[in-house]
């Protein structure tokens, strides 16, 4: 089994997936018609076989399979950067921030979004380090299995899968409701069908089509939010058709905080959920053309997204709208009248914005729907590759599409056709409750996996000089991210027991905290299924080699040393730019 003195017996897993995904010469020479080629593309890609494979442990087998997934590397740096910059921008910022302002007040909004944003940035940095080192299929759920415990990886991955599985029909329904702003005479299911076909088509054309579509969607969202920021600055300075310079008058009357400490905690939770989807950039590692180049750049984009699109826009919102504005009370994810962006600019006397904002929300829901199919199919495939789901779910065709996983996701998406039903809100509230805390669990697992990975390097006499990209926030950042996510879970538990403005009741509790019950059931179920009774994998026993693209560690160290010397010789402005961009 051993192929190199520098690595473990699992170095078989570091085979270059790019070359394995390229058809052989004999395949190229076969003369097929267009229809035959199309049909043939759906046939399963046959992975390479390894001598002695059956003698390995389950963890070793999963490491090899996820490292050698036939997913195709077709996401370039341009697409990766835009995915990192704007893929998760949506109703959490555009709509829910207004409800948070009404609940907690301007001080709560800014403090909570800043604290949570810092934790998310630390988490993305930790994920970036591991994804560059191990660009494997499944990304963070695989890291949880390898560096913490397979049962943790199983529970986190299935929760993440459920989160995005539910999001697909939810976003399709949201899109149909958004269209009713312009047209009310058409049955909502007609719009659901149109968006359903669009989302399915994007993913069936392969990862390159998904990447290009997300690039376009993200570009529209970035442009729109930048325009809103510029217009808001003009309004705050008194340059709008209506109103004078606002200044800080709303911070005095009605004040900085609403609903006291419980309101502050509620905003804390809302801010965490608004960042959901930030981790998607790590899931693309196995399909990035050059993860060592594109992933570090994409990871750094998270800082600018948090700073400009969240903190700058929310600061302006907090200056332009009092927290007691009755229009902020809307709680629908597509309630355009509850958007603080619309309210702020409408107050300035600028007409026509609601239609523009609805168009942006429509783009956002289609974008999230497409990302839902991508996230669920890749997570389900990785679960199958790790032996944590039926083997058939790991079916990947010759074009690198996890076609069975995509089909399952699309079938579940048919739930969106209840858009015309009067029971849709009840159905989706319970579906969302199943995985409502999934993002927090995922971020927590990423931070803990990073801490454990660094611990394994230390225990095995290895150092960070063999890591191509190191987290800019280091292990301290991962400790901070883990701590904040634990605090968020505790805060959500408290508010689930004692809801703001309501009496304790079982339905409210389970709709908010059912996700934890599902996670715990998955964790215990996996322990019983696999008879895995360890709490965590010992650092000295962790596999820190399988899945690396560079198998010669000493050569990699020398290459990284030379790159650092070249970097230090560059002018100061170039060093600053490459550090943050």
């Amino acid at each position: 089994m051993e192929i190199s003195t520098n690595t473990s017996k699992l170095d078989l897993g570091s085979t270059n997936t790019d070359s394995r995904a390229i058809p052989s010469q004999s395949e190229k020479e076969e003369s097929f018609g267009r229809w035959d080629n199309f049909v043939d593309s759906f046939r399963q890609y046959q992975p390479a076989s390894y001598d002695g494979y059956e003698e390995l442990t389950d963890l070793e087998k999963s490491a090899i399979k996820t490292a050698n997934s036939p997913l195709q590397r077709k996401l370039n740096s341009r697409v990766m950067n835009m995915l990192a910059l704007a893929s998760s921008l949506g109703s959490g910022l555009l709509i829910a921030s207004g409800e948070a302002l009404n609940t907690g007040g301007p001080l709560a909004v800014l403090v909570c979004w800043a604290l949570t944003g810092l934790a998310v940035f630390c988490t993305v940095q930790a994920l970036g380090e591991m994804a560059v080192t191990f660009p494997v299929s499944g990304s963070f759920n695989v890291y949880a299995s390898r560096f913490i415990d397979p049962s943790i990886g199983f529970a986190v991955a299935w929760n993440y899968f459920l989160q995005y599985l539910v999001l697909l029909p939810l976003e399709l329904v949201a899109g149909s409701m958004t269209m009713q702003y312009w047209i009310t005479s058409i049955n909502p299911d007609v719009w659901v069908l149109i968006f359903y076909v669009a989302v399915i088509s994007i993913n069936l054309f392969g990862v390159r089509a998904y990447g290009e579509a997300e690039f376009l969607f993200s570009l529209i969202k970035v442009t729109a939010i930048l325009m809103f920021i510029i217009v808001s600055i003009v309004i705050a300075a008194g340059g709008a058709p209506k109103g004078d310079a606002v200044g800080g008058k709303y911070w005095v009357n009605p004040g900085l905080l609403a609903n006291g400490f419980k309101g502050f905690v509620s905003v804390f939770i809302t801010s965490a959920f608004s960042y959901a989807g930030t981790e998607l950039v790590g899931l693309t590692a196995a399909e990035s053309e050059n993860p060592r180049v594109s992933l570090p750049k994409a990871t750094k984009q998270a800082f600018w997204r948090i700073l400009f699109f969240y903190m700058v826009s929310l600061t302006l919102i907090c200056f332009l709208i009092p927290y007691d504005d009755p229009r902020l009370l809307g709680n629908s994810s597509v309630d355009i009248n509850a958007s603080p962006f619309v309210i702020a600019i409408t107050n300035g006397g600028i007409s026509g914005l609601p239609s523009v904002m609805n168009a942006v929300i429509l783009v956002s829901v289609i974008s999230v729907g497409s990302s839902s199919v991508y996230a669920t199919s890749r997570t389900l495939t990785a679960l199958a590759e790790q032996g944590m789901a039926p083997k058939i779910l790991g079916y990947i065709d010759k074009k690198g599409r996890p076609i069975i996983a995509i089909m399952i996701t699309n079938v579940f998406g048919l739930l969106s056709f209840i858009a015309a039903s009067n029971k849709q809100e009840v159905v989706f509230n319970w579906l969302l409750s199943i995985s409502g805390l999934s993002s927090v669990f995922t971020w927590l697992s990423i931070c803990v996996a990073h801490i454990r990975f660094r611990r394994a390097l230390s225990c095995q006499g290895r150092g960070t000089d063999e890591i191509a990209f190191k987290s800019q926030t280091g292990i301290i950042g991962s400790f901070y991210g883990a701590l904040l996510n634990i605090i968020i879970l505790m805060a959500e538990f408290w508010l689930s027991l004692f809801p703001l403005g309501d009496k304790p009741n079982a339905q409210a509790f389970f709709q908010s905290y059912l996700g934890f019950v599902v996670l715990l059931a998955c964790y215990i179920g996996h322990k019983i299924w696999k008879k895995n009774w360890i709490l965590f994998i010992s650092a000295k026993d962790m596999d820190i080699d399988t899945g690396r693209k560079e198998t010669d560690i000493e050569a990699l160290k020398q290459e990284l040393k030379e790159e650092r010397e070249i970097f230090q010789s560059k002018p100061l402005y170039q060093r600053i730019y490459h550090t943050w961009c």
Side-chain angles (χ1 to χ4, degrees):
M1 289 293 293
E2 295 185 3
I3 65 172
S4 170
T5 57
N6 293 329
T7 54
S8 71
K9 65 180 180 179
L10 293 181
D11 280 340
L12 294 168
S14 60
T15 303
N16 190 323
T17 56
D18 291 346
S19 61
R20 298 190 334 96
I22 298 174
S24 66
Q25 188 63 30
S26 61
E27 288 176 317
K28 291 180 179 179
E29 291 174 352
E30 288 188 76
S31 178
F32 288 136
R34 287 188 177 182
W35 174 252
D36 292 325
N37 282 325
F38 174 75
V39 172
D40 186 65
S41 72
F42 288 95
R43 294 200 171 122
Q44 186 172 15
Y45 178 84
Q46 296 301 323
S49 58
Y50 304 111
D51 294 335
Y53 177 81
E54 295 303 323
E55 300 173 5
L56 302 178
T57 66
D58 288 344
L59 195 58
E60 290 170 336
K61 288 178 182 178
S62 70
I64 287 179
K65 283 189 174 182
T66 54
N68 289 279
S69 175
L71 296 171
Q72 295 187 354
R73 297 188 179 277
K74 291 187 175 181
L75 294 177
N76 57 39
S77 293
R78 169 180 57 84
V79 171
M80 294 286 288
N81 287 340
M82 191 57 77
L83 284 174
L85 193 63
S87 61
S88 65
L89 293 177
S91 59
L93 174 64
L94 301 177
I95 303 293
S97 58
E99 187 179 1
L101 177 60
N102 176 263
T103 302
L107 183 62
V109 167
L110 296 182
V111 171
C112 292
W113 253 271
L115 289 174
T116 311
L118 179 58
V120 170
F121 177 66
C122 293
T123 303
V124 173
Q125 285 285 316
L127 177 59
E129 179 179 307
M130 293 186 290
V132 171
T133 308
F134 307 98
V136 299
S137 169
S139 186
F140 35 80
N141 70 76
V142 175
Y143 306 145
S145 295
R146 286 176 61 173
F147 303 138
I148 308 174
D149 169 40
S151 298
I152 295 290
F154 177 85
V156 169
W158 275 107
N159 263 261
Y160 194 77
F161 167 77
L162 289 171
Q163 174 190 5
Y164 277 96
L165 187 68
V166 171
L167 267 183
L168 174 59
L170 182 66
E171 293 299 323
L172 293 175
V173 170
S176 71
M177 292 171 66
T178 303
M179 288 301 300
Q180 302 214 11
Y181 177 82
W182 295 292
I183 304 173
T184 58
S185 58
I186 296 178
N187 188 303
D189 281 342
V190 174
W191 300 116
V192 168
L193 177 62
I194 293 172
F195 299 141
Y196 182 78
V197 171
V199 168
I200 288 177
S201 300
I202 289 171
N203 282 272
L204 283 180
F205 278 111
V207 68
R208 179 171 290 170
Y210 165 75
E212 293 300 332
E214 279 302 302
F215 178 85
L216 178 61
F217 294 150
S218 296
L219 186 62
I220 292 172
K221 289 187 284 185
V222 167
T223 303
I225 293 175
L226 286 176
M227 289 173 58
F228 292 142
I229 288 174
I230 293 171
V231 172
S232 295
I233 292 174
V234 173
I235 294 174
K242 288 168 52 180
D244 300 322
V246 177
K249 66 179 183 180
Y250 295 138
W251 290 56
V252 177
N253 182 23
L256 292 174
L257 289 172
N259 297 308
F261 180 70
K262 185 173 282 191
F264 183 93
V265 172
S266 178
V267 172
F268 195 46
I269 296 167
T270 304
S271 67
F273 293 155
S274 76
Y275 287 110
T278 306
E279 71 291 330
L280 264 175
V281 67
L283 203 60
T284 63
E287 295 172 276
S288 170
E289 284 183 351
N290 190 346
R292 184 172 161 185
V293 173
S294 60
L295 278 173
K297 290 183 178 179
T299 298
K300 294 170 187 176
Q301 300 302 320
F303 173 79
W304 300 109
R305 178 181 59 199
I306 292 168
L307 179 62
F308 283 111
F309 298 132
Y310 285 94
M311 297 313 302
V312 172
S313 61
L314 289 175
T315 299
L316 290 167
I317 290 300
C318 289
F319 275 104
L320 293 173
I321 307 173
Y323 72 70
D324 58 356
D325 190 310
R327 290 169 293 181
L328 293 173
L329 294 175
N331 55 15
S332 169
S333 62
V334 290
D335 185 358
I336 189 64
N337 295 316
S339 170
F341 291 87
V342 173
I343 295 171
I345 301 179
T346 301
N347 287 348
I350 302 174
S351 60
L353 182 71
S355 291
V356 176
M357 195 63 175
N358 256 315
V360 174
I361 291 175
L362 188 60
V363 167
S364 295
V365 298
I366 296 175
S367 172
V368 173
S370 177
S371 294
S372 298
V373 178
Y374 180 87
T376 51
S377 59
R378 271 57 180 183
T379 301
L380 197 57
T381 301
L383 281 165
E385 289 172 340
Q386 296 175 81
M388 296 178 177
K391 188 179 295 184
I392 187 62
L393 300 180
Y395 184 108
I396 299 177
D397 65 20
K398 292 183 178 181
K399 291 292 186 181
R401 296 169 297 200
I403 200 70
I404 300 297
I406 289 175
M407 288 172 60
I408 288 174
T409 305
N410 291 339
V411 168
F412 190 84
L414 293 174
L415 271 177
S416 56
F417 287 97
I418 67 169
S421 167
N422 58 4
K423 298 292 184 181
Q424 59 169 290
E425 185 175 352
V426 176
V427 173
F428 282 118
N429 279 343
W430 281 107
L431 286 174
L432 280 174
S433 68
I434 295 174
S435 57
L437 297 170
S438 178
S439 289
V440 181
F441 297 144
T442 299
W443 297 339
L444 179 58
S445 75
I446 291 170
C447 292
V448 175
H450 181 239
I451 293 168
R452 298 287 298 152
F453 168 58
R454 288 289 191 94
R455 175 64 179 164
L457 284 175
S458 176
C459 287
Q460 297 182 29
R462 311 268 285 268
T464 57
D465 56 344
E466 65 181 57
I467 299 175
F469 170 71
K470 288 183 284 190
S471 167
Q472 293 172 304
T473 57
I475 195 170
I476 294 176
S478 292
F479 273 111
Y480 170 76
L483 176 62
L484 198 79
N485 281 297
I486 291 172
I487 293 174
I488 290 171
L489 291 174
M490 293 170 62
E492 176 67 9
F493 181 77
W494 180 52
L495 281 182
S496 299
L497 282 176
F498 306 101
L500 179 65
D502 199 359
K503 295 180 180 180
N505 65 86
Q507 179 173 325
F509 175 80
F510 281 107
Q511 282 195 343
S512 299
Y513 224 73
L514 184 59
F516 180 77
V517 178
V518 174
L519 182 87
L520 193 61
C522 289
Y523 176 78
I524 295 173
H526 185 267
K527 289 288 183 188
I528 297 172
W529 174 34
K530 294 293 185 179
K531 296 180 172 58
N532 167 35
W533 307 117
I534 62 171
L535 289 178
F536 56 85
I537 301 171
S538 173
K540 63 182 177 61
D541 295 329
M542 285 184 199
D543 172 17
I544 53 176
D545 286 309
T546 303
R548 288 177 180 262
K549 289 190 68 65
E550 299 89 355
T551 58
D552 190 333
I553 300 299
E554 293 304 319
L556 174 62
K557 287 182 181 180
Q558 183 60 34
E559 185 178 346
L560 293 175
K561 181 181 177 182
E562 292 172 0
E563 288 179 0
R564 285 191 291 268
E565 290 174 352
I566 294 173
F567 176 76
Q568 291 299 326
S569 67
K570 291 183 177 181
L572 178 61
Y573 71 91
Q574 287 190 18
R575 297 204 303 272
I576 294 174
Y577 175 80
H578 287 295
T579 298
W580 292 100
C581 299

